[in-house]
Amino acid sequence: MKMFSIAALAGDGIGPEVMREAIRVLRAAEKKFGFKLDITEAPVGWAGIDAVGKALPDVTLTLCKKSDAILFGSVGLPDRDPTIPKEERPERAALLRLRKEFGLFANLRPVRLPKALAHACPLTRERQGDGIDILVVRELTGGLYFGRPKKTEDLGGGNARATDTMAYSTPEIERIAHVAFRAAKLRRKKVTSIDKANVLENGVLWRDVVTRVGQHYSGVTLEHMFVDNGAMQLMLRPAQFDVMLCENMFGDILSDEAAALAGSLGMLPSASLGATSGEKTFGFYEPAGGTAPDIAGKNLANPIAQILSAALMLRHSLGLNDAAAAIENAVQQSIEAGNRTGDIFNPNEAGARRVGTREMGEAIASALR
Ligand code: NAD
């Protein structure tokens, strides 16, 4: 029997509630498909600070290093974050640290709008076209978020000057471009590369390197688009996109914009992948949204993003494609059966039934069984 070890880091806010449902579904998948997951839970974020004084406790990091993949909830609490120095805050001290530690350079965010949820999309049905099914591939370890220098200088007289640095090298662009082209080959074979080559030096290099990498993928169409136009096209004609390839900051922004098309952050999973060695790709899997403190602890959160993140984990790190697809189908079935958490509920929708986090998780697990 195939055995895998998983680090489950639920984190803060809605993290523990949605993680519970993802584990419930994984347990159902285990039984059905005959593999074994050794899932160990450990604190991260404010849960880590409260337990041992660190957003990423040593014991949690050690567990991650011993695991085949990390299933992550989310971290950070807007009320508490400002009370500690920036470097110690959960998103920096835990999330960014883990991304660096495991060399997670590729972020994959699938955005799919199920037909049954067309009403939850802010766009008219006409603009939804033949359906929205976009994969945003975002570079995760370079660009403006990590470039040095990064500093704020005191200019005196109440004035300051802040500097962030955007820097990319050829190999950094090449490896993320390969991820996007490989993904496109398995989808509708189109890559739209996003840049700002009309203004940024980084954009010029990005465009050159992506074009060169694209020449190795003869069946895949490559188009280039300026980021401002990309933001607009997502609202006007989202069905034109298959894979959107973006540097770090553009990907951060556009993936959230694309996320809005799916009706709710609560529907959107994400995978962050490191280098592949042999058959294994270490990955970090988390919902696209944050800790949603406004609804935390009330059985209101949509667990689907966390459950679909678990499905991505089965596919990309554990090579369990059938089980991953079965979870995705079970989610689809649960939606089609009318189950709706508050974020995707519309009282005017015939056959829709408002359910809580737990009920949604149970419905998906039982559809899987
Ligand atoms: P958020 O994503 O937590 O919430 C934005 C809105 O989306 C809220 O109305 C929330 O209720 C809703 N939402 C998010 N996930 C949902 C779900 N599963 N089901 C139903 N509704 C959902 O963003 P925010 O309010 O800007 O941030 C809250 C905290 O989360 C902050 O401390 C932020 O730093 C942190 N954060 C963490 C991560 C992460 O850990 N990866 C990502 C983003 C934000």
Side-chain angles (χ1 to χ4, degrees):
M1 185 186 278
K2 287 185 178 166
M3 297 255 314
F4 304 95
S5 49
I6 306 301
L9 318 183
D12 309 316
I14 60 169
E17 296 165 70
V18 293
M19 182 65 81
R20 199 172 306 127
E21 301 315 314
I23 292 176
R24 187 197 303 281
V25 171
L26 284 173
R27 292 297 180 214
E30 246 182 347
K31 278 214 183 91
K32 182 162 177 163
F33 289 89
F35 57 86
K36 181 86 191 104
L37 299 179
D38 179 8
I39 302 176
T40 309
E41 301 190 46
V44 73
W46 278 101
I49 296 172
D50 291 341
V52 297
K54 272 166 88 172
L56 183 62
D58 297 344
V59 53
T60 302
L61 184 58
T62 306
L63 169 72
C64 292
K65 286 180 179 165
K66 288 192 305 199
S67 302
D68 292 306
I70 303 171
L71 185 60
F72 194 86
S74 41
V75 292
L77 293 172
D79 288 352
R80 298 183 69 185
D81 290 350
T83 64
I84 55 173
K86 273 191 223 147
E87 319 70 60
E88 293 171 26
R89 290 180 197 165
E91 279 197 84
R92 270 212 202 178
L95 201 53
L96 298 187
R97 169 88 199 283
L98 282 168
R99 283 180 189 168
K100 271 274 176 213
E101 181 76 36
F102 292 98
L104 304 171
F105 68 91
N107 184 224
L108 275 56
R109 286 222 205 159
V111 175
R112 237 174 248 133
L113 178 69
K115 283 231 175 324
L117 290 185
H119 65 82
C121 177
L123 301 185
T124 58
R125 286 186 197 226
E126 192 186 26
R127 289 212 189 283
Q128 291 173 28
D130 294 335
I132 298 169
D133 183 2
I134 303 170
L135 177 67
V136 181
V137 174
R138 166 187 170 195
E139 202 289 330
L140 209 53
T141 52
L144 203 56
Y145 293 179
F146 291 100
R148 290 287 182 273
K150 186 183 223 18
K151 60 183 177 182
T152 303
E153 297 154 282
D154 187 354
L155 300 180
N159 294 318
R161 183 170 189 274
T163 305
D164 295 281
T165 303
M166 187 177 200
Y168 271 108
S169 63
T170 302
E172 284 176 297
I173 303 171
E174 279 173 350
R175 63 181 185 172
I176 191 71
H178 280 293
V179 170
F181 283 105
R182 279 199 298 266
K185 269 178 84 172
L186 301 173
R187 295 171 47 97
R188 301 195 307 283
K189 301 184 176 51
K190 179 177 171 192
V191 171
T192 304
S193 176
I194 302 293
D195 63 43
K196 191 70 183 164
N198 50 345
V199 181
L200 299 175
E201 289 296 313
N202 271 269
V204 175
L205 182 66
W206 184 272
R207 194 170 277 222
D208 284 352
V209 175
V210 172
T211 302
R212 219 173 329 114
V213 171
Q215 284 158 3
H216 294 101
Y217 296 85
S218 55
V220 180
T221 307
L222 169 65
E223 69 175 13
H224 299 280
M225 195 177 274
F226 294 137
V227 62
D228 41 351
N229 187 29
M232 192 171 71
Q233 291 300 325
L234 265 177
M235 293 297 106
L236 296 178
R237 238 170 25 90
Q240 72 184 281
F241 295 111
D242 177 16
V243 174
M244 291 181 94
L245 167 61
C246 310
E247 65 84 46
N248 200 345
M249 183 178 67
F250 296 161
D252 190 4
I253 298 167
L254 291 189
S255 59
D256 271 14
E257 189 190 351
L261 301 176
S264 167
L265 275 176
M267 296 291 296
L268 293 159
S270 94
S272 301
L273 308 180
T276 302
S277 72
E279 303 236 306
K280 287 204 162 175
T281 301
F282 188 84
F284 176 95
Y285 300 86
E286 61 174 332
T291 57
D294 51 333
I295 56 167
K298 298 177 183 160
N299 195 37
L300 290 175
N302 187 342
I304 288 179
Q306 190 76 55
I307 291 167
L308 290 176
S309 300
L312 290 178
M313 175 181 80
L314 298 186
R315 175 173 297 124
H316 292 284
S317 284
L318 312 186
L320 300 167
N321 287 326
D322 292 349
I327 291 177
E328 288 161 355
N329 279 339
V331 167
Q332 189 74 26
Q333 276 177 44
S334 175
I335 297 274
E336 278 164 15
N339 296 308
R340 304 280 185 268
T341 41
D343 55 316
I344 51 173
F345 178 71
N346 175 348
N348 301 321
E349 189 195 353
R353 186 173 53 260
R354 194 172 175 143
V355 300
T357 310
R358 208 170 311 114
E359 294 72 31
M360 184 65 103
E362 272 164 8
I364 294 166
S366 70
L368 190 61
R369 288 182 202 112

